[in-house]
Amino acid sequence: GENVEQHPSTLSVQEGDSAVIKCTYSDSASNYFPWYKQELGKRPQLIIDIRSNVGEKKDQRIAVTLNKTAKHFSLHITETQPEDSAVYFCAASKKAAGNKLTFGGGTRVLVKP
Amino acid sequence: DSGVTQTPKHLITATGQRVTLRCSPRSGDLSVYWYQQSLDQGLQFLIQYYNGEERAKGNILERFSAQQFPDLHSELNLSSLELGDSALYFCASSVALLSDEQYFGPGTRLTVT
């Protein structure tokens, strides 16, 4: 089955700096790659996603890139703010498997003011 | 607020007992997914239902079962509970069987003592 690895597991950045989280996946048939933000004790919240027919997608301070050949995708957060502090999860899915999400292990991001 | 509701928020029970977790998907969503989040296993897919039928299964224990009712709400039944079943249980919903975006409910925190 699909395996998603996520790095780093923790990330500490100064407010205003950029944060980058990287994920790799194993199943070349995966075609949908969402990113979720989870604050302590809360639900995972979909913040951005990318499909396999697109190489890059941006939404204000957040961007995601996908390299299908290398089977990796990354989340970029620019001009980080304290409210960006949370755990971020990448995931992968494919329609043939009913779109069930396989998650990476998560990255705990701490933005220091 | 994602529009997905889950009850109860918290559940404390003893080993060997049985509990039922409830999920109501977003209005119009036909597909429901259940995920388990524990400290050692991360976020893991359990089972998916679409319009009342089971569509995909993950590493769900035989002690666990689920169903989706005609009004599209879903229930996850956990029996013969063990300490290791303590976790956050999330349901997520999507519009159709092969829709990509999944929106998570607030979760049920289960503590087995």
Side-chain angles (χ1 to χ4, degrees), chain B residues 17 28 109:
Chain B
Q17 295 298 303
R109 180 174 294 281

Side-chain angles (χ1 to χ4, degrees), chain B residues 21-41:
Chain B
L21 314 183
R22 182 188 170 107
C23 166
S24 292
R26 296 184 315 164
S27 177
D29 285 2
L30 301 177
S31 198
V32 170
Y33 302 78
W34 285 97
Y35 294 88
Q36 179 193 57
Q37 185 174 34
S38 59
L39 282 174
D40 55 343
Q41 295 290 324

Side-chain angles (χ1 to χ4, degrees), chain A residues 31-32 36 38 41-44 46 49 51 89 93 95-101 103, chain B residues 1-2 33 35 37 43 45 48 56-57 90 97-106:
Chain A
N31 54 14
Y32 176 65
Y36 286 85
Q38 187 178 30
K42 301 285 182 64
R43 64 183 176 91
L46 179 65
D49 56 15
R51 291 171 177 79
F89 291 94
S93 72
K95 292 191 185 303
N99 286 342
K100 65 176 185 181
L101 294 171
F103 285 89
Chain B
D1 185 2
S2 65
Y33 302 78
Y35 294 88
Q37 185 174 34
L43 264 164
F45 167 74
Q48 178 201 7
K57 236 175 181 177
F90 290 103
L97 180 61
L98 297 181
S99 295
D100 296 323
E101 298 93 346
Q102 293 181 30
Y103 296 92
F104 280 70

